[in-house]
Amino acid sequence: MFRTSVMADEKTFHFRNEKIQSLLLEMGQQRSTGSLFTLIVNRLAQFPNISLARIWLIKNGDICSACPLQHECLKQTECLHLVASAGQSVVDSAVDWARIDGDHRRFPLGARKVGHIAATGTPVIVKSISKDSKWILHQNWAKREGINGFAGQPMVYHGETMGVLAVFTKSEIAQPALDILNIISNHAAAALVNARAFEKIEELSQRLESENSYLREELLSSTSFGGFIGQSAPLQRIIQQIDLVASTDASVLILGESGTGKELVARELHQRSARRNSPMIKVNCASIPKDLFSSEFFGHVKGAFSGAVANRIGKFGAAHKGTLFLDEIGEIPLEQQAHMLRILQEGEYERVGEEKTRKVDVRIIAATNKNLKTEVENGRFREDLYFRLNVFPIDVPPLRDRKDDVVLLANHFLKQFLLEIKRPVFLFTDAQLQKLVQYSWPGNVRELQNIVERFAITSSSDPKNIDFFNSLGAELPMVEQSRTNQLNEQVLTEQEVVLLQKENIERALKLCRGKIYGTDGAAKLLGLKPTTLATRIRKMEIVCSRDK
């Protein structure tokens, strides 16, 4: 326990014992560097004889080209950053001494008194400016403000100088007060290490929480589109494009209608990249309110705004070293697109309520069902952001252009859902599959998934006896519906009947991939004997190269 006495000489500055004890206790309880520094300088500035209290930390150089003291900085790699300031001018009450962006926001190591303290690890004490003024650069300012003393202490932890704590006093500084400042600076260094550890733990915890949240969503949706299921030419083209670009860090813009599986493409790009062991964070841009855009993407510090009760690392921070999937990128408000462009170009951002510039290493994959080129032409999307995103476009085709994949997808979803609801596994009948293939699928794979899931739920009785679509209460417009209506209203010639029969057999063979015999063959689907179908195929000269 240290003790200081309050001397009768008011020209000499001393600390009050109980206030220092309270300060040291609270310093050890701080869990963020910002709150720690604010606490220290504000408490010191409350002492009647302290005009100004400040803290600088040694950090990497960041504004070297614009720093007013750059000519005094030899290496331009590290310098002192002003992180906290408190005090009150007696000359001009409008002057804000709490600002940390003024002329003294950076000090080169070794330059001036503050830089000398950091470079040497030794304090600089000016007990009386009138008797010793070599360390005071702006003596007229000190005289106007009635400042008579200065004390700068290095903040040292385990032999490492971490920063400088300095005070300007109205009275001369006595030795007991210097001893107390030394104790405060040493405690501040230890509290800084603890606060940084807490911040790192909180950041890792938030990142882990973000990753776990995404992984939970990933687990729920990992089979949403059944992986890359299908053999159609459009699907093979998508897979080839993924193989080409996945191993790079190029931005990818995934285009396609809603429900086509754009997120599946994004996941495959991430899994086949060198970032596969880091998180892929998904953001639905359409779901973020305008006033929370910056906080959601870039994070915020505690107290940055009403409701900011804790630090938040943001989506970019959570995706560091990984992939950020920006779904519905076309929904980002125009006024926010400049912020997005900056981080994509420079890899830098600031959290809301924090002046620290952070670096981030993130690969961007964006997706939209909008025509961004049209959005640019109409002034709703920035052209420079569009070009930044559209490095490698991938166009995901609608399901109606992938009819060859419908059967495989439908049976995959059915098996999956039946297993989930713990019912015996079965497949669709040929007649049911034919209806599925004929449907136009305006909702794409997502609609197919939903219809199959409803069918699995309603299939408690014999599913083969269920009138598939009627049982679901769905009115599904078939692709051939308009032609069927026309046929119902006219009489066909014999030649037209033969042609229609030939087309019907060809569709059945295509659906069954050329197979004639068996329960999954075209004969079963058409309701014919296999030998009868084989005879008609030869007679009509139908090519059946994949017949098994």
Side-chain angles (χ1 to χ4, degrees), residues 13-77:
F13 170 60
H14 294 269
F15 286 108
R16 291 181 61 86
N17 191 20
E18 64 276 8
K19 289 187 177 182
I20 297 302
Q21 289 177 334
S22 173
L23 172 60
L24 296 179
L25 179 63
E26 290 189 47
M27 284 166 56
Q29 297 173 343
Q30 302 307 305
R31 296 199 171 195
S32 74
T33 54
S35 63
L36 172 65
F37 301 144
T38 301
L39 171 71
I40 295 172
V41 296
N42 284 345
R43 287 294 184 84
L44 289 176
Q46 289 176 5
F47 284 93
N49 281 328
I50 290 184
S51 297
L52 179 63
R54 283 183 165 173
I55 294 176
W56 288 266
L57 287 188
I58 298 177
K59 296 183 181 182
N60 292 331
D62 59 341
I63 61 168
C64 298
S65 60
C67 181
L69 299 179
Q70 60 174 306
H71 61 283
E72 299 184 45
C73 188
L74 299 178
K75 295 183 178 180
Q76 296 192 359
T77 55

Side-chain angles (χ1 to χ4, degrees), residues 16 103 134 143 148 231 243 246 249 257 288 310 317 358-359 376 393 430 447 467 492 512 530 537 543:
R16 291 181 61 86
D103 292 340
K134 70 175 181 177
K143 186 175 181 179
N148 289 309
Q231 299 177 342
D243 285 336
D249 275 340
E257 299 176 7
I288 301 176
R358 296 176 180 269
K359 289 279 189 179
V376 170
D430 296 332
E447 183 184 13
D467 187 340
L492 302 179
C512 298
I537 290 172
V543 178

Side-chain angles (χ1 to χ4, degrees), residues 109 180 309 398 411 434 444 516 537:
L109 297 181
I180 297 303
V309 296
N411 277 326
Q434 187 177 23
N444 292 298
I516 297 175
I537 290 172

Side-chain angles (χ1 to χ4, degrees), residues 208-409:
L208 182 61
E209 183 179 348
S210 297
E211 291 180 20
N212 286 342
S213 176
Y214 179 78
L215 289 174
R216 285 193 293 270
E217 294 178 8
E218 186 87 352
L219 183 62
L220 291 174
S221 63
S222 60
T223 54
S224 292
F225 297 109
F228 285 120
I229 294 174
Q231 299 177 342
S232 66
L235 181 61
Q236 296 306 312
R237 185 171 63 252
I238 293 295
I239 294 174
Q240 290 172 359
Q241 289 178 301
I242 291 174
D243 285 336
L244 282 172
V245 75
S247 61
T248 74
D249 275 340
S251 297
V252 178
L253 181 60
I254 306 172
L255 308 168
E257 299 176 7
S258 295
T260 52
K262 296 188 291 294
E263 184 176 346
L264 173 62
V265 175
R267 286 204 303 268
E268 284 299 313
L269 285 167
H270 176 72
Q271 288 302 322
R272 300 186 192 197
S273 74
R275 298 173 180 264
R276 67 180 67 89
N277 295 323
S278 297
M280 185 185 96
I281 304 300
K282 175 188 174 183
V283 187
N284 188 319
C285 301
S287 66
I288 301 176
K290 292 182 180 180
D291 54 346
L292 294 179
F293 179 91
S294 296
S295 172
E296 186 71 21
F297 277 99
F298 311 131
H300 61 250
V301 295
K302 181 179 179 181
F305 52 85
S306 178
V309 296
N311 290 342
R312 181 188 180 94
I313 64 172
K315 299 297 185 182
F316 274 94
H320 184 56
K321 297 294 183 182
T323 302
L324 186 62
F325 175 43
L326 303 174
D327 198 10
E328 299 191 55
I329 187 72
E331 302 299 330
I332 292 183
L334 186 62
E335 60 269 23
Q336 302 291 355
Q337 292 174 19
H339 300 292
M340 185 65 65
L341 179 64
R342 180 205 169 193
I343 193 170
L344 296 186
Q345 288 180 331
E346 303 173 12
E348 295 180 347
Y349 69 101
E350 291 88 29
R351 294 180 183 174
V352 178
E354 183 181 62
E355 294 188 1
K356 176 182 179 180
T357 299
R358 296 176 180 269
K359 289 279 189 179
V360 68
D361 176 16
V362 170
R363 192 215 186 144
I364 298 297
I365 299 175
T368 181
N369 57 12
K370 289 187 173 183
N371 187 326
L372 289 188
K373 185 173 285 188
T374 301
E375 295 294 295
V376 170
E377 293 171 354
N378 294 332
R380 292 190 292 267
F381 202 86
R382 290 179 63 110
E383 185 177 37
D384 45 8
L385 179 58
Y386 168 68
F387 287 128
R388 189 73 188 180
L389 295 170
N390 195 38
V391 175
F392 192 96
I394 295 180
D395 199 345
V396 183
L399 187 57
R400 60 182 171 274
D401 293 341
R402 295 173 51 198
K403 288 300 181 72
D404 293 348
D405 299 333
V406 171
V407 172
L408 294 174
L409 282 167

Side-chain angles (χ1 to χ4, degrees), residues 493-510:
T493 65
E494 182 64 20
Q495 186 178 0
E496 289 173 332
V497 171
V498 172
L499 181 60
L500 186 62
Q501 187 179 47
K502 180 181 179 181
E503 291 176 352
N504 193 47
I505 292 173
E506 287 175 339
R507 281 198 299 271
L509 288 170
K510 184 178 180 181

Side-chain angles (χ1 to χ4, degrees), residues 411-427:
N411 277 326
H412 170 81
F413 290 145
L414 182 59
K415 179 180 178 181
Q416 184 182 83
F417 291 132
L418 289 171
L419 289 173
E420 287 180 6
I421 62 178
K422 297 180 174 56
R423 290 183 181 174
V425 174
F426 61 87
L427 300 179

